[in-house]
Structure formats: C-alpha cells, structure tokens
Amino acid sequence: MEGLPETGRCLVMGILNVTPDSFSDGGVWLAEEAAVAHGIAMARQGADLVDVGGESTRPGAARPHQDDELARVVPVIAALTRAGVNVTVDTMRSRVAREAVAAGAVAVNDVSGGLADEAMLSTVAELEVPYIAMHWRGHSTDMQQRATYGDVVEDVATELADRVEAATRAGIPTQRLALDPGLGFAKTPEHNWALLAGMEVLLSLGQPLLIGASRKAFLGALLADPKGQPRPTPERDDATAAVSALAAVCGAWCLRVHDVRRSVDAVSVASRWMKETALAGQDGGGR
Ligand code: PMM
C-alpha cells in the first residue's frame, strides 16, 4: 500500500498495547521503557510495522480519557520512530491520530473504521497517511450484543464497502486504504471462522486486507481442554501462526500478531509455497 514498506510478501504487524487492561498483554508494556524495548525487539524479529495502542478494546472495556491515551502512546511512538521502527497507531480518536503522526507514526489503524469519531476520516485524508478501517458495530462495552447477522460474510463486506465509500468521500485515496473484518468485534467464534473462510469475498472489495486473529477467544475455544476450559492466551501463539500461514496463502496483506517471530516464519513458508505453486503453473504442472 502506498506509503508503507514494500516486501513482496504479506506484512507482519507486531502488537504493542500500552494499556493496563488489554486481554492478552494488558499492563505488561505500560512502562514507557519496557514498551519501547518490546517494540524494538519485535522489529528485530521481523515485524514490518509495530502497532501502538493506548485503548483496550477487549469486550466490556471502559474507554480511557483522551489525555491518558495520548500520554501512553505519543512518547512510545516518538522513541520507536527515533529507533528506526515503522510505527502505526491503533486509535479511534482523530486527535490521537494527528499527534501520533506528528510523532512519527506512518499509518492509522482505526478499529471503528471512522465511525467512533466523525473527524477521523477527514483528519487522515489531511495527514496523507495510509488508513486501516476495521469492521465495527460499536464500543466494547456492549459490542457482543451487536453480533447479529444474516450472512456474516455478506453483511461485513457490505458494511466495509460503506466504509470505503465514506473514506474516499472524505478524501482518502483507495491506494492508501486497507480493510479488516474485525475478528472478535461483535462476532461469535462461528462468525470469525466464517469470515476467515470467506476472505475471497472480502478481497473482492479490491482493498488490501488485514487479519487480526492473534490469541483471540475463538482460538482459545478451538483449543479448549476436554473440560471445555479455553486455552490460556499466551498458549494460543501456534494456532495464531497457523492462521497467519493460511491467511497469507489466501491473499491477506498484513497480519496483526503478538508473537512476531512465529508469524514471520509462517509467512515465509506461505510465500515460498505460493512461489513454487506459481512456478509449477508456468511449467504447465510438469515439474
Ligand atoms: N484487534 C484488537 C485491537 N486492534 N486492530 C485491527 N486492525 N484489527 C484487529 O483485529 C484488532 C485491532 C484487539 O486485540 P489486542 O487487544 O490483542 O490488541
């Protein structure tokens, strides 16, 4: 996508939640120094982007005050940028997006797709940075009550198409716009699996697709023990890497993950496999 690193393969975005309450790493990277060190470590492991967020979006989470969000993310973004890391900001607030870009962020990742702050789309258009618009139906406090769909893949595709229209109307060129089905956001596990299996429909919207499956509850449920206890969050990284490999083969543009090394490896395998498939195709299958 225009303005972001070109690698010729699916990108890997490392997650850096500078929050006290994110579902998997809440509180771990709240201290600025620890957050910056972890961001640099993820870049060294091969993260193409490091996504810095100061608001937890886990189901039921309360929103932080804007000043607290700014105080959490801006110094970390500035320090990572100075260290040469490509940083994106995970925010629903236009003011945070503006200050994050001033501090060096190269793109804005908005889980609300511009719906939470009416100034977001015009701000991003003015800032001239890439924008990731996620499918969203409302704030985390009650989002799971909004997980009602006719056909989830068709409904999410239609609602994302509306976001493309709103973004382009606000002045964001499609070359700078990526989409995300928003796994776990107003979605049941069944909805998440249907969306992964329906990636082709989402890709037919014509925009790059980001997939954020990392450590999410639907993987915990899939890997539950015989008593039905979900697999604990840090033990979902191998399943996350499996999703990364499959999503890369299915044409994802970027994968947002906690464990960067596993997904970089998964993408390497997927890329090599796809290259071989293409070569076999050129040879008429005679190799
Ligand atoms: N998921 C979370 C936060 N931000 N951004 C995008 N684009 N896509 C996602 O799926 C997404 C996101 C919640 O997960 P986290 O608490 O592990 O960051």
Side-chain angles (χ1 to χ4, degrees):
M1 190 168 33
E2 194 181 280
L4 286 181
E6 273 298 327
T7 63
R9 56 154 175 77
C10 181
L11 299 182
V12 175
M13 171 189 272
I15 300 171
L16 185 50
N17 286 319
V18 194
T19 62
D21 55 346
S22 287
F23 78 96
S24 131
D25 54 355
V28 182
W29 314 116
L30 199 51
E32 188 181 319
E33 230 170 89
V36 172
H38 184 55
I40 291 171
M42 287 195 288
R44 287 206 182 116
Q45 287 171 0
D48 304 291
L49 300 162
V50 169
D51 192 38
V52 178
E55 170 170 359
S56 167
T57 47
R58 80 182 153 74
R63 300 203 71 190
H65 192 280
Q66 176 166 274
D67 289 342
D68 291 334
E69 189 183 344
L70 281 167
R72 287 173 189 169
V73 301
V74 170
V76 173
I77 292 169
L80 286 174
T81 301
R82 280 196 300 276
V85 177
N86 289 312
V87 181
T88 57
V89 63
D90 183 351
T91 188
M92 292 182 251
R93 289 178 163 133
S94 58
R95 163 103 194 277
V96 177
R98 185 181 290 283
E99 297 207 15
V101 170
V106 299
V108 175
N109 171 29
D110 177 2
V111 298
S112 84
L115 290 169
D117 179 344
E118 59 180 26
M120 180 60 104
L121 297 177
S122 56
T123 300
V124 171
E126 187 197 319
L127 294 170
E128 298 187 337
V129 291
Y131 181 63
I132 299 152
M134 199 191 80
H135 176 261
W136 186 82
R137 283 191 163 178
H139 287 289
S140 303
T141 36
D142 59 354
M143 69 177 171
Q144 288 312 98
Q145 288 154 30
R146 298 172 207 258
T148 51
Y149 301 91
D151 177 317
V152 68
V153 180
E154 290 300 331
D155 292 355
V156 168
T158 303
E159 289 169 42
L160 283 175
D162 289 346
R163 295 292 83 214
V164 174
E165 207 195 306
T168 45
R169 222 183 310 119
I172 302 175
T174 50
Q175 301 90 304
R176 269 197 228 124
L177 182 61
L179 299 174
D180 179 339
L183 302 180
F185 287 78
K187 317 278 179 337
T188 63
E190 289 69 29
H191 293 145
N192 296 328
W193 289 115
L195 286 162
L196 286 170
M199 263 180 64
E200 219 172 286
V201 176
L202 303 174
L203 284 166
S204 73
L205 295 171
Q207 299 304 128
L209 209 59
L210 184 145
I211 297 293
S214 189
R215 295 184 181 170
K216 284 189 176 167
F218 75 111
L219 298 178
L222 178 77
L223 306 173
D225 70 17
K227 288 183 184 151
Q229 282 302 311
R231 177 77 64 83
T233 41
E235 294 168 38
R236 299 174 189 171
D237 285 333
D238 293 320
T240 300
V243 174
S244 292
L246 291 164
V249 168
C250 291
W253 158 73
C254 183
L255 306 159
R256 183 180 179 279
V257 297
H258 298 87
D259 185 309
V260 165
R261 193 191 54 79
R262 279 185 176 88
S263 279
V264 168
D265 287 357
V267 166
S268 296
V269 171
S271 303
R272 186 65 187 85
W273 188 307
M274 285 189 287
K275 186 176 155 199
E276 200 64 22
T277 306
L279 287 173
Q282 277 167 20
D283 287 1
R287 285 153 55 90

